[in-house]
């Protein structure tokens, strides 16, 4: 793995990702027996999405260093997850056993599709959706409570959002399912049971959109209780959905959860969870310290090369809280365990002008953690410029905060040599992503950049985050102008005497219009997050040729694919058998 990391300068080294292949949604994060487990949608042999998706699996004891475990769950021919194990969650059941809930899919055109759902419950998609589990039993979701099911836009991505006590003193689980109503808009359905493995009943909708403005299908719904961080405020819950497709931004509301419903009409929002153009399908766990930790999928964007054998990574874990009525997202402090050389840099504090950017001298790696504090002064915008050596000016990006508009943006093709007062005019025609912060504007901004290969996460002191990609490529051995190529050293530098050196980090503090102050700046090179030892643990699901799985008939489209293990004569969900660590079932 280390050799692969060294060979590709754009590959992240401390963000969770697969050793190779495609990944998307983070699935089933759980803290169990002193370890953080994180699963993800994965195609080991492809860098593009397709049916047949499996669950990858990584584990950590400290949220900083990670190890890969064997693939957790995979599709099985002829079964209800024959064409993919879609997103879901992992929860401890009533016996404290880890249980995976996920959406299995089978294509309508699959000749081995098996039993079809009744017409009233056919959602008329290109695939059939079934809620499945990987555990010691089955889950059935009664269709009678889903009327009229054929008006639903989808039915997927189970998420256990609460455990509560019944009047009888039993523990009851609450599960969300992403959905929507055709020609009406998104919705989130609620199911409840006193057992993770059986007895699920439909309990209405958590909430429903009034129009199509927030999408037709609310994928990957999340509801998180952040009341421990709000100091008594009534809007103490985060409700988050991923609308329709990864080309759209994830949105959230802050509001009140009462009597089993999220009061959407009284909530504030929707706001963009991430201002960038890469994040989709986040997932949450609450750890032993009571922190709400979130991961999201960071997509590739405008990658010019098709030679990479990987696609996608996760964000670093984010700690969520509500401060002064606004959502605050911060990198988990454990990320600092990966810092090595660095700290406060020489030359700061300093004053910036449009003509005098200041380079970060010291850290030279491609994976850097930067903390900077900017003061407005007379400037219109201020932030950090990141140079691309492989794509030149087109691939370089400026992460800029606009003091007047209260926006954070990534501007590609940014040219620091023409940073005049008419800043909005000079950026016309450039590729830009970003947005307005859901807080009041400020004149002092703390900005933290988590840079890891091509992955850049920008965290603000106002709580907003922006995740983008910048493909920097390999730093050349000799100096090149900003917009030169390896084969042409004659092109003039966009900013002569400043950007024509490759001796530094390739990262500058910049401002647009007037002057700004950088009151402090620290930077650290970062270590690789991956442990060298390869885990062969059988604690979780992996293929086994010793045990056969005899299919057990369940009703579609609401059953779970289960089987009877010939070794222990027990009913098990896809992939898990309690017969022993050395003999696990895989249908």
């Amino acid at each position: 793995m280390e050799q692969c990391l060294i060979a590709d300068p754009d590959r992240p080294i401390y963000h969770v990702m697969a050793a190779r292949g495609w990944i998307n949604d983070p699935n089933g994060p759980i803290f169990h027996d002193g370890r953080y487990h994180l699963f993800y949608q994965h195609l080991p042999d492809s860098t593009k999405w397709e049916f047949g998706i499996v669950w990858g699996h990584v584990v950590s004891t400290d949220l900083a260093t990670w190890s890969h475990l064997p693939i957790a769950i995979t599709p099985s021919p002829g079964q209800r997850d024959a064409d993919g194990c879609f997103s879901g969650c992992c929860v401890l059941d009533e016996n404290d056993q880890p249980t995976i809930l996920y959406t299995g899919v089978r294509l309508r055109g699959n000749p081995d599709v098996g039993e079809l759902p009744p017409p009233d419950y056919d959602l008329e998609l290109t695939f059939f959706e079934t809620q499945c589990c990987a555990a010691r039993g089955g889950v059935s979701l009664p269709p009678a409570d889903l009327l009229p099911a054929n008006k639903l836009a989808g039915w997927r991505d189970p998420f256990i959002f609460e455990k509560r006590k019944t009047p009888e003193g039993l523990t009851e689980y609450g599960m969300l399912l992403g959905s929507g109503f055709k020609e009406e808009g998104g919705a989130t359905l609620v199911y409840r049971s006193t057992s993770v493995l059986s007895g699920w009943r439909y309990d209405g909708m958590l909430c429903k959109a009034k129009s199509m403005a927030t999408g037709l299908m609310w994928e990957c719904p999340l509801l998180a209780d952040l009341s421990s961080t709000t100091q008594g405020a009534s809007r103490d819950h985060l409700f988050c959905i991923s609308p329709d497709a990864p080309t759209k931004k994830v949105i959230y509301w802050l509001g009140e959860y009462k009597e089993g419903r999220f009061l959407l009409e009284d909530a504030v929002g929707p706001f963009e969870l991430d201002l960038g153009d890469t994040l989709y399908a986040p997932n949450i766990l609450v750890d032993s310290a009571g922190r709400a930790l979130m991961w999201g999928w960071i997509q590739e964007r405008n990658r010019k090369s098709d030679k990479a054998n990987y696609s996608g990574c996760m964000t670093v874990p984010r700690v969520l809280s509500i401060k002064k009525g606004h959502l605050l997202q911060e990198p988990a402090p454990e990320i600092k365990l990966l810092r090595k050389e660095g700290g406060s840099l020489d030359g700061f504090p300093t004053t910036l002008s449009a003509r005098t950017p200041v380079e970060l001298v010291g850290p030279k790696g491609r994976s850097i953690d930067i903390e900077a504090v900017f003061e407005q002064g007379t400037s219109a915008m201020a932030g950090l410029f990141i140079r691309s050596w492989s794509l030149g000016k087109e691939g370089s990006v400026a992460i800029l905060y606009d003091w007047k508009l209260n926006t954070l943006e990534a501007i590609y093709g940014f040219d620091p040599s023409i940073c005049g007062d008419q800043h909005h005019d000079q950026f016309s025609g450039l590729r830009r992503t970003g947005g307005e912060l859901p807080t009041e504007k400020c004149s002092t901004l703390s900005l933290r950049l988590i840079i890891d290969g091509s992955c850049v996460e920008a965290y603000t002191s106002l709580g907003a985050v922006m995740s983008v990609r910048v493909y920097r490529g390999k730093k050349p051995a000799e100096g090149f102008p900003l917009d030169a190529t390896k084969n042409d050293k004659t092109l003039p530098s966009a900013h002569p005497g400043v950007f024509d050196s490759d001796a530094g980090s390739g990262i500058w503090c910049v401002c647009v219009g007037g002057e700004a102050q950088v009151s402090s700046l620290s930077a650290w090179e970062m270590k690789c997050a991956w442990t060298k030892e390869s885990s062969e643990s059988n604690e979780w699901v992996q293929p086994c040729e010793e045990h056969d799985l005899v299919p057990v008939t369940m009703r579609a489209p609401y059953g779970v694919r289960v089987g009877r293990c010939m070794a222990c004569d027990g009913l098990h969900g896809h992939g898990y058998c309690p017969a022993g660590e050395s003999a696990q079932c895989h249908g």
Side-chain angles (χ1 to χ4, degrees):
M1 179 105 181
E2 289 288 348
Q3 291 180 348
C4 180
L5 295 176
I6 293 170
D8 185 349
D10 286 326
R11 181 182 181 120
I13 65 170
Y14 64 96
H15 284 70
V16 167
M17 60 185 300
R20 62 183 175 87
W22 167 275
I23 72 169
N24 54 287
D25 308 5
N27 292 154
I30 186 171
F31 183 76
H32 179 57
D33 285 346
R35 298 199 296 175
Y36 295 91
H37 292 265
L38 179 63
F39 305 87
Y40 49 86
Q41 297 281 279
H42 182 36
L43 290 167
D45 299 319
S46 176
T47 57
K48 296 182 180 180
W49 190 92
E50 57 191 47
F51 282 97
I53 202 114
V54 306
W55 276 37
H57 186 189
V58 294
V59 65
S60 174
T61 58
D62 59 9
L63 287 179
T65 56
W66 294 84
S67 298
H68 285 103
L69 292 184
I71 288 173
I73 49 177
T74 64
S76 292
Q79 302 296 336
R80 291 179 176 86
D81 62 354
D83 294 299
C85 302
F86 278 18
S87 289
C89 64
C90 186
V91 65
L92 297 181
D93 69 11
E94 56 273 24
N95 298 312
D96 287 332
Q97 294 298 314
T99 302
I100 290 175
L101 302 177
Y102 67 101
T103 300
V105 298
R106 48 195 173 127
L107 288 168
R108 189 179 293 271
N110 189 334
D112 300 321
V113 71
E115 182 183 1
L116 299 180
D120 288 346
Y121 303 100
D122 185 346
L123 304 189
E124 300 176 350
L125 303 174
T126 59
F127 52 86
F128 301 109
E129 298 175 317
T130 302
Q131 306 318 314
C132 304
C133 74
R136 300 176 181 175
V139 174
S140 63
L141 304 179
D145 292 323
L146 273 178
L147 294 175
N150 56 8
K151 289 187 178 180
L152 294 179
W155 188 59
R156 54 184 173 269
D157 308 332
F159 176 75
I160 300 293
F161 73 100
E162 76 171 345
K163 289 195 291 185
R164 66 184 187 183
K165 291 294 184 180
T166 67
E168 296 77 22
L170 300 174
T171 298
E172 183 180 66
Y173 295 86
M175 178 172 68
L176 304 181
L177 275 173
S179 192
F181 290 87
K182 297 173 183 177
E183 301 180 0
E184 295 182 28
T188 297
L189 312 181
V190 177
Y191 292 82
R192 298 190 182 276
S193 176
T194 55
S195 171
V196 173
L197 305 175
S198 62
W200 290 97
R201 59 182 174 81
Y202 176 63
D203 190 36
M205 288 182 285
L206 180 77
C207 55
K208 180 180 180 293
K210 292 183 178 181
S211 71
M212 295 280 289
T214 55
L216 169 64
M217 172 68 195
W218 283 358
E219 296 187 317
C220 303
L222 303 173
L223 183 67
D225 181 357
L226 302 179
S227 58
S228 63
T229 70
T230 61
Q231 299 178 335
S234 59
R235 294 190 177 107
D236 56 6
H237 279 68
L238 167 76
F239 175 59
C240 176
I241 59 99
S242 298
D244 294 334
T247 53
K248 295 186 177 181
K249 293 187 178 183
V250 177
I251 56 176
Y252 73 91
W253 292 259
L254 298 178
E256 187 175 1
Y257 175 66
K258 188 175 182 180
E259 298 179 353
R261 300 293 178 260
F262 181 76
L263 306 183
L264 191 65
E265 62 278 7
D266 297 325
V268 292
F271 303 112
E272 294 178 358
L273 182 71
D274 192 290
L275 300 177
D277 60 355
T278 64
L279 185 133
Y280 196 73
N283 214 316
I284 290 177
L285 74 80
V286 177
D287 71 1
S288 59
R291 300 180 302 176
L293 300 174
M294 173 181 281
W295 286 264
W297 165 37
I298 295 183
Q299 307 167 66
E300 307 291 339
R301 276 286 183 263
N302 292 37
R303 184 164 65 180
K304 302 297 183 182
S305 173
D306 58 358
K307 296 180 180 180
N309 69 345
Y310 63 90
S311 180
C313 70
M314 299 297 133
T315 63
V316 297
R318 300 177 180 180
V319 180
L320 305 182
S321 60
I322 297 176
K323 303 296 183 185
K324 298 181 179 180
H326 300 289
L327 179 67
L328 181 65
Q329 304 179 65
E330 301 173 286
E334 289 87 342
I335 300 302
K336 294 180 181 179
L337 295 173
L338 296 173
R339 289 175 173 176
K340 46 182 185 179
E341 296 87 356
S344 298
L345 300 187
D346 294 337
F348 297 94
T350 190
T351 299
L352 302 173
S353 75
R355 299 287 177 176
T356 57
V358 176
E359 186 176 14
L360 279 61
V361 177
K364 297 181 181 180
R366 59 187 177 167
S367 295
I368 304 175
D369 186 357
I370 301 171
E371 295 181 355
V373 178
F374 293 89
E375 297 180 17
Q376 180 179 2
T378 59
S379 68
M381 308 171 80
L384 290 156
F385 172 80
I386 305 171
R387 172 181 174 180
S388 170
W389 284 285
S390 62
L391 300 178
K393 187 168 68 175
E394 176 189 357
S396 299
V397 67
I399 308 295
L400 295 173
Y401 177 71
D402 189 308
W403 305 101
K404 181 179 180 180
L405 299 181
N406 194 30
T407 58
L408 185 69
E409 282 192 292
I411 304 176
Y412 292 85
F414 175 86
D415 188 343
S417 66
I418 56 171
C419 294
D421 296 327
Q422 303 300 318
H423 58 285
H424 293 291
D425 292 338
Q426 76 184 57
F427 299 146
S428 62
L430 300 181
R431 182 164 74 91
R432 305 166 69 171
T433 186
E436 184 176 357
L437 278 61
T439 54
E440 294 182 2
K441 64 182 67 175
C442 65
S443 58
T444 299
L445 180 75
S446 296
L447 187 62
R448 183 174 177 185
L449 257 57
I450 301 288
I451 302 174
D452 189 13
S454 63
C455 181
V456 179
E457 296 181 66
Y459 292 81
T460 71
S461 51
L462 302 178
V465 188
M466 180 174 65
S467 301
V468 296
R469 291 280 189 173
V470 52
Y471 301 98
R472 306 184 71 194
K474 185 177 181 180
K475 184 177 175 181
E478 300 180 62
F480 293 98
L482 177 66
D483 45 6
T485 66
K486 289 183 178 180
N487 298 322
D488 185 355
K489 300 183 182 180
T490 64
L491 294 177
S493 169
H495 203 333
V498 178
F499 294 104
D500 57 356
S501 172
D502 293 303
S505 62
I507 302 171
W508 283 264
C509 294
V510 295
C511 73
V512 177
E515 293 185 344
Q517 285 72 46
V518 184
S519 55
S520 67
L521 194 145
S522 300
W524 296 264
E525 295 182 20
M526 300 293 282
K527 296 182 289 189
C528 181
W530 298 102
T531 58
K532 293 182 179 180
E533 55 271 11
S534 175
S535 174
E536 299 296 335
S537 169
N538 287 316
E539 178 184 349
W540 295 84
V541 181
Q542 58 180 311
C544 175
E545 297 179 357
E546 297 183 30
H547 284 198
D548 296 322
L549 213 58
V550 178
V552 176
T553 302
M554 300 290 287
R555 294 175 295 171
Y558 48 88
V560 59
R561 188 185 72 72
V562 298
R564 185 175 297 280
C565 177
M566 302 303 290
C568 59
D569 197 38
L571 281 175
H572 318 303
H574 179 72
Y576 181 86
C577 170
E581 290 187 356
S582 62
Q584 298 193 356
C585 301
H586 180 83

